[in-house]
Amino acid sequence: MMTHSPAETRALGEKLAHLLLPGDVLLLWGDLGAGKSELTRGIAKGLDIAGPISSPSFTIMNVYDEGRLPLYHFDWYRLQSSEELYEMGMDEYLGGDGVAVIEWPGQCPDAIPEKCLSITIEPQDDETRCILFDYRGGFRNLKLEA
């Protein structure tokens, strides 16, 4: 699937959010500036979460619980091991009552749940993104239309 602007990437996230259920885990793969946070902002909007959505680069996790479903937005970029995640009670959030979105999941591969939606964002140029969906471990196919 292709998006041609940050606004289109957010719109895709918003569409995606309408298909999400409690306990869903989304992994976001892509380099710095690929559009992971833009997609997450769209997901938040689709979950009826108002206000600014910022990357939790320094806090590891931001919780937004005022929407249709809670959003647990993780950024694992600065983590050294999954032990840090378990110490902060991450297991309460993955597969729980909300939707977990994880940026930089490769930092702690042993903490990734088997059942998840893996989303790879590949910049094609300054605006265009190729967004690939990989349904892992029996995650249901969301049948997103372009």
Side-chain angles (χ1 to χ4, degrees), residues 42-90:
I43 292 168
K45 183 176 181 186
L47 293 174
D48 300 323
I49 296 169
I53 304 297
S54 59
S55 182
S57 297
F58 295 98
T59 58
I60 312 296
M61 180 182 69
N62 289 337
V63 175
Y64 304 95
D65 57 7
E66 69 273 11
R68 177 176 62 81
L69 293 173
L71 173 63
Y72 308 118
H73 184 195
F74 290 91
D75 185 328
W76 291 359
Y77 185 76
R78 298 186 186 288
L79 295 177
Q80 303 300 315
S81 76
S82 59
E83 288 301 313
E84 294 175 72
L85 290 169
Y86 293 111
E87 287 172 7
M88 65 181 282
M90 175 212 58

Side-chain angles (χ1 to χ4, degrees), residues 1 8-21 24-28 36 38-40 42-47 68-69 71 99-101 117-119 121 131-133 135 139-145:
M1 184 168 299
E8 283 187 18
T9 301
R10 288 189 303 273
L12 176 62
E14 188 173 352
K15 282 184 192 176
L16 174 61
H18 293 293
L19 303 172
L20 297 176
L21 301 172
D24 284 348
V25 176
L26 284 62
L27 311 178
L28 301 186
K36 298 180 298 293
E38 291 298 335
L39 186 68
T40 303
I43 292 168
K45 183 176 181 186
L47 293 174
R68 177 176 62 81
L69 293 173
L71 173 63
V99 173
V101 174
L117 174 56
S118 181
I119 303 171
I121 304 173
I131 302 176
L132 306 168
F133 295 88
Y135 302 93
F139 195 99
R140 70 200 175 285
N141 186 328
L142 300 177
K143 297 181 179 17
L144 278 168
E145 300 297 323

Side-chain angles (χ1 to χ4, degrees), residues 85-106:
L85 290 169
Y86 293 111
E87 287 172 7
M88 65 181 282
M90 175 212 58
D91 47 332
E92 295 176 29
Y93 299 100
L94 295 185
D97 62 345
V99 173
V101 174
I102 303 168
E103 296 188 34
W104 302 101

